[in-house]
Amino acid sequence: MRSKPPLRTRPRRRTCADPIRLITPGRISAEKNIELLISIWNDELVDRYPKAEWYLVGSGPLLDTVRQRVRGPDRVQTLGEVSHQRMLREMVEADLMLYASLGDTFGLVITEAKLCRLPIIALADNAGVSAQIRDGEIGGYLATDLPGFVHRMHNALANPLQLIDIAECGADDVNKRFGYNQHHQLSD
């Protein structure tokens, strides 16, 4: 059995003035829609949220593209390939996960994020990801297109306390669906 992630050491974001840590865990590649996320960072986030940081946790062929194309590169951390435990640590510490992959059949990282009480903004895929998130209620926000993704992202960042509630509902949902009990919860 994999070990559970450590407890959160960063305070939860409770006001719009608090720093924001965004995360994108997984392979840094075209099928994960990384180019779209770079555009969202550059066009929607870097200027509007000066306290935002974006962590990309994973390796892949577009890692150098990210490093070359992002605005505010000092606020973007490309961690490369890390252990599963380190990925969970980064997810526990993050405030919001950006997920734009349309090629995953289930999206295990969505389940892991929900267990880490990490709210998610995701593109609907009409498959596993869409089945795991109930838009604005359980786990995060689900968008069907780019304008919807951007709108939900701004809404999430403007309502940090609502994000905490949605994240809690996400963890409860995973515990109910997959039979996790108090012993397996990630936030003792």
Side-chain angles (χ1 to χ4, degrees):
M1 176 174 32
R2 291 186 172 174
S3 58
K4 63 183 181 179
L7 298 176
R8 185 177 176 103
T9 59
R10 270 182 81 241
R12 286 246 177 237
R13 183 172 178 264
R14 297 195 176 276
T15 71
C16 292
D18 291 340
I20 304 162
R21 184 177 293 179
L22 306 167
I23 190 168
T24 301
R27 186 163 164 73
I28 311 302
S29 59
E31 69 272 10
K32 301 296 187 178
N33 231 343
I34 293 300
E35 297 270 358
L36 175 70
L37 293 178
I38 293 169
S39 296
I40 290 170
W41 171 259
N42 288 341
D43 300 341
E44 298 289 338
L45 290 165
V46 75
D47 293 328
R48 189 170 180 173
Y49 302 97
K51 291 185 178 180
E53 298 176 316
W54 184 24
Y55 283 62
L56 289 100
V57 184
S59 62
L62 295 182
L63 200 54
D64 286 335
T65 301
V66 170
R67 292 177 179 137
Q68 293 165 5
R69 290 200 37 225
V70 293
R71 292 180 49 228
D74 56 314
R75 294 168 36 206
V76 176
Q77 304 295 319
T78 53
L79 302 182
E81 188 171 338
V82 299
S83 69
H84 186 256
Q85 184 69 19
R86 171 78 187 275
M87 182 196 67
L88 293 175
R89 149 80 56 217
E90 297 300 336
M91 289 170 72
V92 165
E93 296 295 332
D95 298 304
L96 184 64
M97 182 170 126
L98 303 179
Y99 186 85
S101 176
L102 294 176
D104 292 335
T105 54
F106 179 70
L108 180 60
V109 73
I110 298 290
T111 305
E112 292 173 320
K114 287 168 63 175
L115 277 172
C116 289
R117 289 167 168 71
L118 174 60
I120 306 147
I121 304 290
L123 281 174
D125 63 356
N126 297 317
V129 173
S130 296
Q132 294 187 69
I133 297 173
R134 189 173 310 146
D135 188 39
E137 295 178 27
I138 295 177
Y141 296 92
L142 196 60
T144 57
D145 56 20
L146 177 59
F149 188 95
V150 170
H151 172 76
R152 283 165 176 78
M153 180 189 62
H154 288 306
N155 183 56
L157 294 173
N159 296 290
L161 294 178
Q162 181 184 23
L163 272 184
I164 293 170
D165 291 341
I166 288 170
E168 289 298 323
C169 289
D172 291 345
D173 179 59
V174 171
N175 286 324
K176 287 176 192 168
R177 283 184 188 219
F178 300 107
Y180 289 89
N181 58 34
Q182 294 293 335
H183 176 72
H184 291 98
Q185 286 187 356
L186 303 179
S187 62
D188 293 333

